[in-house]
């Protein structure tokens, strides 16, 4: 019996669509401050998984939550550039 996974790897290993497009990379770059803020919030939560959060931990989580909210607001308020020439 052949495994489907090996067949899938052989089929998709050379596909052109695996690489991100320039537009996708630009979108990731625009969202990077939010991604980093989310990582900081996750780090703050991970620190407190095995112990009761101290006052410093609670401040760190509040600060990280505020940063995430600020980055989400900033991302939502950025103007969207529409490509010229009617491209979608």
């Amino acid at each position: 019996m052949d495994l489907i996974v090996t067949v899938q790897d052989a089929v998709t290993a050379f596909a052109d669509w695996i690489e991100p497009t320039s537009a996708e990379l630009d979108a990731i770059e625009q969202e990077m401050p939010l991604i980093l803020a989310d990582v900081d919030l996750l780090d703050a939560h991970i620190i407190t998984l095995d112990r009761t959060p101290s006052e410093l931990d609670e401040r760190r989580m509040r600060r990280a939550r505020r940063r995430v909210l600020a980055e989400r607001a900033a991302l939502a308020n950025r103007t969207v550039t529409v490509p010229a020439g009617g491209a979608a």
Side-chain angles (χ1 to χ4, degrees), residues 44 47-59 61:
I47 289 171
T48 61
L49 282 178
D50 61 345
R51 61 186 167 114
T52 304
S54 67
E55 184 178 334
L56 178 63
D57 294 330
E58 290 174 4
R59 277 192 258 158
M61 284 192 284

Side-chain angles (χ1 to χ4, degrees), residues 26-81:
D26 290 340
I28 292 170
E29 188 175 334
Q30 288 291 320
E31 293 178 9
M32 190 55 68
L34 176 59
I35 293 168
L36 294 175
D38 281 331
V39 169
D40 288 343
L41 179 59
L42 185 60
D43 286 343
H45 282 288
I46 289 172
I47 289 171
T48 61
L49 282 178
D50 61 345
R51 61 186 167 114
T52 304
S54 67
E55 184 178 334
L56 178 63
D57 294 330
E58 290 174 4
R59 277 192 258 158
R60 182 180 294 126
M61 284 192 284
R62 278 195 309 267
R63 187 172 41 244
R65 280 190 208 111
R66 277 189 249 123
R67 183 172 169 217
V68 167
L69 290 174
E71 292 298 338
R72 283 183 185 169
L75 184 63
N77 289 330
R78 287 191 189 121
T79 57
V80 177
T81 59

Side-chain angles (χ1 to χ4, degrees), residues 11-22:
V11 171
T12 59
F14 302 106
D16 293 335
W17 50 266
I18 290 178
E19 296 296 322
T21 64
S22 294

